[in-house]
Structure formats: C-alpha cells, structure tokens
Amino acid sequence: MRLGPGDDAAILRLGDRAECVVTVDMLNDGIDFELGRVDPRRIGRKALAVNLSDLAAMAARPLAIVVAVVLPKRGGRELAWQLFEGMLPLAERYQVAMAGGDTNSWDGPLAICITAIGEVTGHGPLLRSGARPGDRILVTGAFGGSLLNHHLDFEPRVQEALLLNADYSLHAGIDVSDGLARDLAHICEESRTGAVVDIDRVPIAPAAYQMQDERTPREHALCDGEDFELVLAVPPEVARDLIASQPIGVPLTDIGEFTAELGLRQRSSTGLITALARNGFEHNF
Amino acid sequence: MRLGPGDDAAILRLGDRAECVVTVDMLNDGIDFELGRVDPRRIGRKALAVNLSDLAAMAARPLAIVVAVVLPKRGGRELAWQLFEGMLPLAERYQVAMAGGDTNSWDGPLAICITAIGEVTGHGPLLRSGARPGDRILVTGAFGGSLLNHHLDFEPRVQEALLLNADYSLHAGIDVSDGLARDLAHICEESRTGAVVDIDRVPIAPAAYQMQDERTPREHALCDGEDFELVLAVPPEVARDLIASQPIGVPLTDIGEFTAELGLRQRSSTGLITALARNGFEHNF
C-alpha cells in the first residue's frame, strides 16, 4: 500500500509499476437520500458519482466499480433495476466497467455501497498532503445550496481533474463533500499548512441564494458540503496561467492562498484577516 | 476489464502487466448473522473471511480491503470497534492492508460491506470456466452443518489456493458459499461441462451429523453452503499426484469427474448413476 486511509482514496501498488486507486462510499436511505421522495435512478447515479468524485480528487482515471446493495424486500427487484439505470449513463460517459456486485434483500432500508477503482494519471496522484505555503487555492465551479438538487445531479470533476493533472503541475487536491471550509482544512492538516481565503472571491452557487434559513449565501457556500467541486493547491505561476487561460469547461477561481501559519483564516475586501471556522460560519470578533 | 461479473471476483488489467482481482460482499444483520446473538468480532471476521475466500477461489493473493459500514445509532461506536477487532487478526495473518473505509450510522440495522483486492498468482487466475471433461473434482476439507458455527469461524483457503496454484496446473475453481452441489454446478455452467459426483466420497463434516432436521448428513454436505471450502477442476494425472502427496495441510479429496455430458449426476457405490439436484437432495427415481 502506497497511501492508506486519510486521503480521498487509497493507492495500492501492483506489480512493478502499476498503481491502483481505490475508494468506497456507502449511501443510506434516510441519511444520504430519501427513498420515496426521489427517483431511485438519481440515487443510483449519486452512489456512482460520489465515488467518481473521490477518484477525481486524486486525479485518477476511473476503471471499474463493484456494487453491493441491500434492498428492502418490497419492490426490491424493481428498485435494483432503477438504481442500475441511474448508474449506467454515468458509467458509460466515464467508461467505467461494472465489474461485479453483491445483491441482498432484507426488512431494513436501502443501503448501496460502491467501490471504485482507478489508475494514476499524468503527474501522479493528487494528494491532500502536497500543498505548500504560497500555493494558490483554486476551486472549480461554485458552492452552496447543494441540498436543493445539486447533491443528486452533480457532475463529478473527472475530466477536469485528468486534464489539469496531465498538463499542469498541481500540488494537492480534494473534492468538496464536507463543505468548502472543512475540506480546505483537510488539505491544510495533511499538508501542515494554513490557508487564507479571500472571502469575497468565493464563487457562490445560485442555489445558495435560494436556501430559506438564517445563513447567508456566503455561509452556505462555505459550509453546506456535497458541492463535489475540486479544491486545488497550485503553485502561483501555474495558478496565474490557469486563471488566465481557463482551460477546462468549468470556471476556475482563485480564492486565496496556503500559508505557513496554521489555521483557516479569511481576508475581507478591506484586507482585514480574521479566523474562519471549519463549519464555514463567519464569526465576527 | 479482463473478467467481469459471473466469477468469484472480477479481474482488471492495470498498465501493461499487472492484474488486479476485485470482489465485494455485503453482510446484513438478520440475513447473514444475528447481531445480539453473536459476538460482533465474529461478524467482522466473517465479513473479511468471505471476501478472502472469494480471492482464494481465484487463487489471488489478498493485498488490501476497503470497508464500508452502516451502524445502528445505539452503540454504533463500540460496535464499529468490535467489528474492526474481529477483522484485525485475519488481516494480519494474510497481510491484508486496511486501505480505507466509509463509516455511517442510521436507525436501521447493521450492514457491513467489504471490497477485497488481490493480485493474480502462479499459473494465473483460477476461473470457473476452465474445467474440461475428464478433469477430476477435488475438494478441500469437509462439508455440511456450517450454520452451527463454521460459517462464522471458517478459515479462508487462501494459503492452500496459493500453494496449489503455484505448484500445480489447475483448470478451474470456486469456493463453496451456495452449497457443494450448487457451486459445482456453477463451474459446470461456466465451463460447459457436466459432472458426476461419487456420492460416497463426499467428505461430510462432523457438524452435518449434528443438524437436527429431516435431512441426512450427506444431504447437508451437498446443500448447506457457507462451507467456504474449495472445489477444483484438476487434470487426472495432477489429481492423482495431489491425492497421493496431500501437499496442503487440509485434506484434498477426489469426489468425481467433470464430463462432456451436461448436468449434475451422482454415482453410488454400486455404480448406479442418477441425477443430482442442485439443491443437493438425493432424489430417488
């Protein structure tokens, strides 16, 4: 094993050269989705997409998945088919082989577990631990309000990660499942750096404005999670090139920098630097 | 993908040479075990052991596992630890890295899903599809009554499979999870052969005699399942050598032969050949 628990996926060495990237995610009824309130095809799609997103976070090319599922007894057969139907277009788009599975049924609720296997590409696997002070924080897409729809329909950033990792020297990466601030903190911890976020530059998704609660759109963008966008640590000169050329279909935004000083901080448009909580709330001191 | 669904595990090709064997099994409370009636350590152990048995059936060397689990909310933390404790000795014995995982909790019952990854060894992967007419049917160990204890405490035949595949030319293999007759039928189907079982030679486990129901011990041996012994298709001269030399610690028994004529049959000690049902019952015609 070259890389064990703690990153988005594990890396195994096979034979002399080949490296195999492995990740697993289990989705559960009532926690990750509500069966009966959503088309099961979207659940199947999400179960695959979250795994592909983990591979994208490592800039690994997806090769195959194995799927284990436990179905409620009532309607289980039809449900299994719908889950599969939901996975199929995504599997085809990314040329992922459905290599095997295990189908069970019980009196309990639906649980679906996918393990995805990929191969290392380009400049090698993108780890959480490679960020260096001075690196820019680049993100794909926009953040917040994923709960309204995006968490079921998001496009894993597979192609974007492969393209970036083939043509550019990136230092670290993660996909945002826990929330932008939290996942940025994960890179910082593994890289033993801190980060300063230029708070006004954080791209806020339209859905973040549609959330009906006490949080601001920006707070949603920082804390909601399940955006499944990439957060990258990129050397400054490479970041400048990327921001200028925008070589992938999805917008890349520079939202700050990694620092030698530990901890998450935010910089306002006036230049004021304050602490940034991992849960994304902007505390006023 | 070199081999997809339908065998004990899938085989993926990575890079130029390396081949990666992948299998997944999910165990569910109330189906595969009864939480509350069994030490959770034995559940964790079984969840790993069934996957190792699938790799053994392919004569693949285990490398790593990823574990996904959904825990009941009450006592979930302690349960997770106990499951892990149960896996650990087996993982250490077979030098399997615990490469990653996904831990969830809900109001539903325990489900545990392990994906195991191995590498091809010796004469290459042992498939279900390689049996040829004239091959002998060799089995490890004894069969029946697994439900009494063995299904939780069995030793996956990893070392035995690796040793046999390194030193001998085997044609096909499977591990017995569905039952000796059923799993033998799986080899036959994939190999487009039939098989004749010398019914008096089938090794019957002591536990098969302790089952308190209407079935005979022999019927238990043929149909119970979860024995997790190996069934192998072996060329006659190799089989003779193996039976004479008994090179693995576990007894190898020759229980019959693969045939060009399709279907499962049994031969009695008097030489009478009759049909053998897949569910293992000895029908009298």
Side-chain angles (χ1 to χ4, degrees), chain B residues 89-106:
Chain B
L90 210 56
E92 284 178 346
R93 181 173 318 149
Y94 296 109
Q95 296 181 282
V96 182
M98 293 194 180
D102 185 25
T103 307
N104 310 277
S105 73
W106 67 355

Side-chain angles (χ1 to χ4, degrees), chain A residues 1 4-5 10 12 14 16-18 22 25-26 28-29 31 63-64 68 70 98-99 102 104-106 109-110 113 115 117, chain B residues 1 4-5 10 12 14 16-18 22 25-26 28-29 31 63-64 68 70 97-99 102 104-106 109-110 113 115 117:
Chain A
M1 188 162 60
L12 309 176
L14 282 143
D16 296 337
R17 296 189 308 144
V22 186
D25 267 296
M26 185 190 260
N28 302 293
D29 187 12
I31 306 291
L63 293 176
V70 58
M98 294 196 180
D102 186 25
N104 310 276
S105 72
W106 67 355
L110 172 65
C113 178
T115 303
I117 295 169
Chain B
M1 188 163 60
L12 309 177
L14 282 142
D16 297 338
R17 295 188 310 143
V22 186
D25 268 296
M26 185 189 260
N28 302 294
D29 186 14
I31 307 289
L63 292 176
V70 57
M98 293 194 180
D102 185 25
N104 310 277
S105 73
W106 67 355
L110 172 65
C113 177
T115 302
I117 295 169

Side-chain angles (χ1 to χ4, degrees), chain B residues 117-142:
Chain B
I117 295 169
E119 62 183 352
V120 166
T121 66
H123 288 85
L126 202 54
L127 309 185
R128 295 181 179 181
S129 55
R132 301 171 204 169
D135 281 351
R136 303 303 305 175
I137 307 166
L138 260 56
V139 297
T140 60

Side-chain angles (χ1 to χ4, degrees), chain B residues 23-36:
Chain B
T23 183
V24 62
D25 268 296
M26 185 189 260
L27 301 190
N28 302 294
D29 186 14
I31 307 289
D32 301 288
F33 57 85
E34 297 205 42
L35 189 66

Side-chain angles (χ1 to χ4, degrees), chain B residues 260-284:
Chain B
E261 187 179 332
L262 300 184
L264 276 194
R265 290 169 294 157
Q266 56 186 324
R267 179 162 39 210
S268 73
S269 53
T270 64
L272 185 70
I273 292 182
T274 54
L276 175 63
R278 281 165 142 262
N279 65 6
F281 281 106
E282 300 167 64
H283 295 289
N284 296 309

Side-chain angles (χ1 to χ4, degrees), chain A residues 172-185:
Chain A
I174 197 169
D175 66 320
V176 174
S177 51
D178 295 345
L180 176 54
R182 273 204 176 82
D183 286 314
L184 177 58

